[in-house]
Short mmCIF file of all heavy atoms in Angstrom, two decimals:
data_model
loop_
_atom_site.label_atom_id
_atom_site.label_comp_id
_atom_site.label_asym_id
_atom_site.label_seq_id
_atom_site.Cartn_x
_atom_site.Cartn_y
_atom_site.Cartn_z
N ALA A 1 18.86 -96.72 -12.88
CA ALA A 1 18.03 -97.88 -12.58
C ALA A 1 16.64 -97.79 -13.18
O ALA A 1 15.95 -98.81 -13.32
CB ALA A 1 17.93 -98.07 -11.07
N VAL A 2 16.19 -96.58 -13.52
CA VAL A 2 14.82 -96.41 -14.03
C VAL A 2 14.86 -95.63 -15.33
O VAL A 2 15.85 -94.95 -15.66
CB VAL A 2 13.92 -95.68 -13.01
CG1 VAL A 2 13.84 -96.47 -11.71
CG2 VAL A 2 14.43 -94.27 -12.75
N ARG A 3 13.78 -95.72 -16.07
CA ARG A 3 13.65 -94.94 -17.30
C ARG A 3 13.13 -93.54 -16.96
O ARG A 3 12.40 -93.34 -16.00
CB ARG A 3 12.72 -95.65 -18.27
CG ARG A 3 13.27 -96.98 -18.79
CD ARG A 3 12.37 -97.56 -19.87
NE ARG A 3 11.04 -97.88 -19.34
CZ ARG A 3 9.99 -98.20 -20.09
NH1 ARG A 3 10.12 -98.23 -21.42
NH2 ARG A 3 8.84 -98.50 -19.54
N TYR A 4 13.53 -92.59 -17.78
CA TYR A 4 13.17 -91.19 -17.56
C TYR A 4 12.19 -90.71 -18.62
O TYR A 4 12.37 -90.99 -19.80
CB TYR A 4 14.42 -90.30 -17.62
CG TYR A 4 15.31 -90.36 -16.40
CD1 TYR A 4 15.28 -91.44 -15.52
CD2 TYR A 4 16.20 -89.33 -16.16
CE1 TYR A 4 16.11 -91.47 -14.42
CE2 TYR A 4 17.04 -89.36 -15.06
CZ TYR A 4 16.99 -90.43 -14.19
OH TYR A 4 17.81 -90.47 -13.09
N PRO A 5 11.19 -89.92 -18.23
CA PRO A 5 10.32 -89.29 -19.23
C PRO A 5 11.12 -88.28 -20.05
O PRO A 5 11.82 -87.45 -19.49
CB PRO A 5 9.25 -88.60 -18.39
CG PRO A 5 9.34 -89.22 -17.04
CD PRO A 5 10.76 -89.61 -16.86
N TRP A 6 10.99 -88.36 -21.35
CA TRP A 6 11.74 -87.43 -22.20
C TRP A 6 11.04 -87.33 -23.56
O TRP A 6 10.58 -88.32 -24.09
CB TRP A 6 13.17 -87.90 -22.39
CG TRP A 6 14.03 -86.85 -23.01
CD1 TRP A 6 14.36 -86.76 -24.34
CD2 TRP A 6 14.62 -85.73 -22.36
NE1 TRP A 6 15.14 -85.64 -24.55
CE2 TRP A 6 15.32 -84.98 -23.35
CE3 TRP A 6 14.63 -85.28 -21.05
CZ2 TRP A 6 16.01 -83.82 -23.05
CZ3 TRP A 6 15.32 -84.11 -20.74
CH2 TRP A 6 15.99 -83.40 -21.75
N ALA A 7 11.01 -86.12 -24.08
CA ALA A 7 10.36 -85.90 -25.39
C ALA A 7 11.23 -84.99 -26.25
O ALA A 7 12.04 -84.21 -25.73
CB ALA A 7 8.98 -85.27 -25.18
N ASP A 8 11.04 -85.10 -27.54
CA ASP A 8 11.74 -84.20 -28.46
C ASP A 8 11.43 -82.75 -28.09
O ASP A 8 10.29 -82.41 -27.76
CB ASP A 8 11.29 -84.45 -29.90
CG ASP A 8 11.76 -85.79 -30.44
OD1 ASP A 8 12.69 -86.37 -29.86
OD2 ASP A 8 11.17 -86.26 -31.44
N GLY A 9 12.44 -81.92 -28.13
CA GLY A 9 12.25 -80.51 -27.84
C GLY A 9 12.43 -80.14 -26.39
O GLY A 9 12.39 -78.94 -26.05
N PHE A 10 12.64 -81.12 -25.52
CA PHE A 10 12.89 -80.78 -24.12
C PHE A 10 14.20 -80.01 -23.99
O PHE A 10 15.16 -80.23 -24.74
CB PHE A 10 12.93 -82.05 -23.27
CG PHE A 10 11.57 -82.49 -22.79
CD1 PHE A 10 10.40 -81.90 -23.24
CD2 PHE A 10 11.46 -83.54 -21.87
CE1 PHE A 10 9.15 -82.31 -22.79
CE2 PHE A 10 10.21 -83.96 -21.42
CZ PHE A 10 9.06 -83.35 -21.87
N PHE A 11 14.21 -79.12 -23.02
CA PHE A 11 15.31 -78.17 -22.85
C PHE A 11 16.47 -78.79 -22.07
O PHE A 11 16.28 -79.43 -21.04
CB PHE A 11 14.79 -76.94 -22.11
CG PHE A 11 15.80 -75.85 -21.90
CD1 PHE A 11 15.99 -74.88 -22.87
CD2 PHE A 11 16.56 -75.78 -20.74
CE1 PHE A 11 16.90 -73.85 -22.69
CE2 PHE A 11 17.47 -74.77 -20.55
CZ PHE A 11 17.65 -73.80 -21.52
N ILE A 12 17.67 -78.59 -22.57
CA ILE A 12 18.91 -78.95 -21.87
C ILE A 12 19.71 -77.67 -21.69
O ILE A 12 19.88 -76.90 -22.65
CB ILE A 12 19.73 -80.00 -22.65
CG1 ILE A 12 18.97 -81.32 -22.72
CG2 ILE A 12 21.09 -80.21 -21.99
CD1 ILE A 12 19.69 -82.40 -23.52
N GLU A 13 20.18 -77.44 -20.49
CA GLU A 13 20.96 -76.24 -20.19
C GLU A 13 22.13 -76.12 -21.17
O GLU A 13 22.89 -77.06 -21.36
CB GLU A 13 21.47 -76.32 -18.75
CG GLU A 13 22.32 -75.14 -18.32
CD GLU A 13 23.61 -75.57 -17.67
OE1 GLU A 13 23.67 -76.71 -17.16
OE2 GLU A 13 24.56 -74.78 -17.69
N PRO A 14 22.30 -74.95 -21.80
CA PRO A 14 23.31 -74.81 -22.84
C PRO A 14 24.73 -74.64 -22.33
O PRO A 14 25.67 -74.70 -23.12
CB PRO A 14 22.85 -73.56 -23.59
CG PRO A 14 22.12 -72.75 -22.56
CD PRO A 14 21.43 -73.75 -21.69
N LEU A 15 24.91 -74.44 -21.03
CA LEU A 15 26.26 -74.29 -20.49
C LEU A 15 26.91 -75.66 -20.30
O LEU A 15 26.31 -76.69 -20.60
CB LEU A 15 26.21 -73.51 -19.17
CG LEU A 15 25.59 -72.11 -19.26
CD1 LEU A 15 25.66 -71.41 -17.90
CD2 LEU A 15 26.26 -71.26 -20.33
N SER A 16 28.11 -75.67 -19.76
CA SER A 16 28.91 -76.91 -19.74
C SER A 16 28.32 -78.00 -18.87
O SER A 16 28.60 -79.19 -19.09
CB SER A 16 30.32 -76.59 -19.28
OG SER A 16 30.31 -75.96 -18.01
N ASP A 17 27.52 -77.65 -17.87
CA ASP A 17 26.93 -78.69 -17.03
C ASP A 17 25.80 -79.44 -17.73
O ASP A 17 25.45 -80.54 -17.34
CB ASP A 17 26.38 -78.09 -15.73
CG ASP A 17 27.48 -77.75 -14.74
OD1 ASP A 17 28.63 -78.14 -14.97
OD2 ASP A 17 27.18 -77.07 -13.74
N HIS A 18 25.18 -78.81 -18.71
CA HIS A 18 24.09 -79.43 -19.48
C HIS A 18 22.98 -79.95 -18.58
O HIS A 18 22.55 -81.10 -18.70
CB HIS A 18 24.62 -80.55 -20.38
CG HIS A 18 25.56 -80.08 -21.43
ND1 HIS A 18 26.39 -80.93 -22.12
CD2 HIS A 18 25.81 -78.83 -21.91
CE1 HIS A 18 27.12 -80.23 -22.98
NE2 HIS A 18 26.77 -78.96 -22.87
N HIS A 19 22.52 -79.11 -17.65
CA HIS A 19 21.39 -79.49 -16.83
C HIS A 19 20.13 -79.55 -17.67
O HIS A 19 19.97 -78.79 -18.62
CB HIS A 19 21.16 -78.47 -15.71
CG HIS A 19 22.26 -78.40 -14.71
ND1 HIS A 19 22.70 -77.22 -14.18
CD2 HIS A 19 23.02 -79.37 -14.15
CE1 HIS A 19 23.68 -77.46 -13.32
NE2 HIS A 19 23.89 -78.76 -13.29
N ALA A 20 19.24 -80.46 -17.30
CA ALA A 20 17.91 -80.51 -17.91
C ALA A 20 16.92 -80.85 -16.81
O ALA A 20 17.19 -81.71 -15.99
CB ALA A 20 17.85 -81.54 -19.02
N MET A 21 15.81 -80.16 -16.76
CA MET A 21 14.80 -80.41 -15.73
C MET A 21 13.45 -80.71 -16.38
O MET A 21 13.06 -80.02 -17.32
CB MET A 21 14.68 -79.20 -14.80
CG MET A 21 15.92 -78.95 -13.99
SD MET A 21 15.73 -77.62 -12.77
CE MET A 21 15.95 -76.18 -13.81
N VAL A 22 12.79 -81.74 -15.86
CA VAL A 22 11.48 -82.13 -16.37
C VAL A 22 10.54 -82.36 -15.20
O VAL A 22 10.91 -82.99 -14.22
CB VAL A 22 11.55 -83.43 -17.20
CG1 VAL A 22 10.17 -83.81 -17.71
CG2 VAL A 22 12.54 -83.29 -18.33
N VAL A 23 9.34 -81.85 -15.28
CA VAL A 23 8.31 -82.14 -14.30
C VAL A 23 7.22 -82.95 -14.99
O VAL A 23 6.56 -82.47 -15.90
CB VAL A 23 7.71 -80.87 -13.70
CG1 VAL A 23 6.54 -81.23 -12.78
CG2 VAL A 23 8.75 -80.09 -12.94
N GLN A 24 7.07 -84.19 -14.57
CA GLN A 24 5.97 -85.04 -15.04
C GLN A 24 4.83 -84.84 -14.05
O GLN A 24 4.97 -85.16 -12.87
CB GLN A 24 6.42 -86.50 -15.09
CG GLN A 24 5.68 -87.34 -16.12
CD GLN A 24 4.37 -87.87 -15.59
OE1 GLN A 24 3.90 -87.46 -14.54
NE2 GLN A 24 3.78 -88.79 -16.32
N THR A 25 3.75 -84.27 -14.52
CA THR A 25 2.77 -83.70 -13.61
C THR A 25 1.70 -84.67 -13.11
O THR A 25 0.62 -84.25 -12.75
CB THR A 25 2.08 -82.51 -14.28
OG1 THR A 25 1.54 -82.93 -15.53
CG2 THR A 25 3.06 -81.38 -14.51
N GLN A 26 1.99 -85.97 -13.05
CA GLN A 26 0.96 -86.91 -12.61
C GLN A 26 1.38 -87.89 -11.53
O GLN A 26 0.50 -88.44 -10.87
CB GLN A 26 0.41 -87.67 -13.83
CG GLN A 26 -0.35 -86.73 -14.77
CD GLN A 26 -0.79 -87.40 -16.04
OE1 GLN A 26 0.03 -87.86 -16.81
NE2 GLN A 26 -2.09 -87.44 -16.26
N LEU A 27 2.63 -88.16 -11.34
CA LEU A 27 3.08 -89.11 -10.31
C LEU A 27 3.97 -88.50 -9.26
O LEU A 27 4.32 -89.14 -8.28
CB LEU A 27 3.82 -90.30 -10.96
CG LEU A 27 3.02 -91.12 -11.97
CD1 LEU A 27 3.91 -92.17 -12.61
CD2 LEU A 27 1.82 -91.75 -11.31
N CYS A 28 4.37 -87.27 -9.44
CA CYS A 28 5.20 -86.53 -8.49
C CYS A 28 6.52 -87.24 -8.18
O CYS A 28 6.93 -87.33 -7.03
CB CYS A 28 4.43 -86.26 -7.20
SG CYS A 28 3.04 -85.13 -7.44
N GLN A 29 7.14 -87.78 -9.21
CA GLN A 29 8.47 -88.36 -9.07
C GLN A 29 9.49 -87.38 -9.68
O GLN A 29 9.24 -86.80 -10.74
CB GLN A 29 8.58 -89.70 -9.79
CG GLN A 29 7.61 -90.75 -9.28
CD GLN A 29 7.87 -91.11 -7.84
OE1 GLN A 29 9.02 -91.37 -7.47
NE2 GLN A 29 6.84 -91.13 -7.04
N LEU A 30 10.61 -87.22 -9.01
CA LEU A 30 11.64 -86.30 -9.46
C LEU A 30 12.85 -87.09 -9.94
O LEU A 30 13.33 -87.99 -9.24
CB LEU A 30 12.05 -85.38 -8.30
CG LEU A 30 13.28 -84.50 -8.53
CD1 LEU A 30 13.03 -83.46 -9.61
CD2 LEU A 30 13.67 -83.83 -7.22
N TYR A 31 13.32 -86.78 -11.12
CA TYR A 31 14.51 -87.42 -11.68
C TYR A 31 15.51 -86.33 -12.07
O TYR A 31 15.13 -85.31 -12.63
CB TYR A 31 14.16 -88.23 -12.92
CG TYR A 31 13.04 -89.21 -12.75
CD1 TYR A 31 11.71 -88.80 -12.85
CD2 TYR A 31 13.30 -90.55 -12.48
CE1 TYR A 31 10.67 -89.70 -12.68
CE2 TYR A 31 12.27 -91.46 -12.33
CZ TYR A 31 10.95 -91.03 -12.43
OH TYR A 31 9.93 -91.93 -12.27
N GLU A 32 16.77 -86.58 -11.80
CA GLU A 32 17.80 -85.61 -12.16
C GLU A 32 18.94 -86.30 -12.90
O GLU A 32 19.26 -87.45 -12.61
CB GLU A 32 18.36 -84.93 -10.90
CG GLU A 32 17.33 -84.19 -10.09
CD GLU A 32 17.95 -83.34 -9.01
OE1 GLU A 32 19.19 -83.32 -8.89
OE2 GLU A 32 17.18 -82.70 -8.28
N MET A 33 19.54 -85.57 -13.83
CA MET A 33 20.73 -86.06 -14.52
C MET A 33 21.74 -84.93 -14.68
O MET A 33 21.36 -83.76 -14.76
CB MET A 33 20.38 -86.62 -15.92
CG MET A 33 19.50 -87.84 -15.91
SD MET A 33 19.24 -88.50 -17.59
CE MET A 33 18.37 -87.14 -18.35
N TYR A 34 22.98 -85.30 -14.76
CA TYR A 34 24.07 -84.34 -15.02
C TYR A 34 24.82 -84.82 -16.26
O TYR A 34 25.04 -86.00 -16.45
CB TYR A 34 25.00 -84.29 -13.81
CG TYR A 34 26.30 -83.55 -14.00
CD1 TYR A 34 26.38 -82.17 -13.84
CD2 TYR A 34 27.46 -84.25 -14.31
CE1 TYR A 34 27.58 -81.51 -14.00
CE2 TYR A 34 28.67 -83.59 -14.47
CZ TYR A 34 28.73 -82.22 -14.31
OH TYR A 34 29.92 -81.57 -14.47
N GLY A 35 25.18 -83.90 -17.13
CA GLY A 35 25.91 -84.24 -18.35
C GLY A 35 25.02 -84.90 -19.37
O GLY A 35 25.45 -85.77 -20.13
N ALA A 36 23.77 -84.50 -19.45
CA ALA A 36 22.83 -85.18 -20.34
C ALA A 36 23.00 -84.75 -21.79
O ALA A 36 23.32 -83.61 -22.08
CB ALA A 36 21.41 -84.88 -19.90
N THR A 37 22.79 -85.70 -22.66
CA THR A 37 22.73 -85.43 -24.09
C THR A 37 21.55 -86.20 -24.67
O THR A 37 21.13 -87.22 -24.11
CB THR A 37 24.02 -85.87 -24.82
OG1 THR A 37 24.16 -87.30 -24.70
CG2 THR A 37 25.24 -85.18 -24.25
#
């Protein structure tokens, strides 16, 4: 439903779940995704 902060070079977990975690340090909103590419 919402757009996610994302930049080139951000880390995606290399295993099969492909987790990626981002902390945007100004609004304290948490977003999670599974199977990200």
Side-chain angles (χ1 to χ4, degrees):
V2 300
R3 294 186 296 169
Y4 284 21
W6 192 262
D8 291 342
F10 274 8
F11 182 88
I12 294 177
E13 179 229 337
L15 301 183
S16 57
D17 284 350
H18 296 164
H19 295 141
M21 295 186 279
V22 180
V23 174
Q24 208 276 11
T25 55
Q26 294 174 298
L27 301 175
C28 294
Q29 301 296 312
L30 171 66
Y31 307 83
E32 301 190 1
M33 295 184 296
Y34 169 84
T37 63

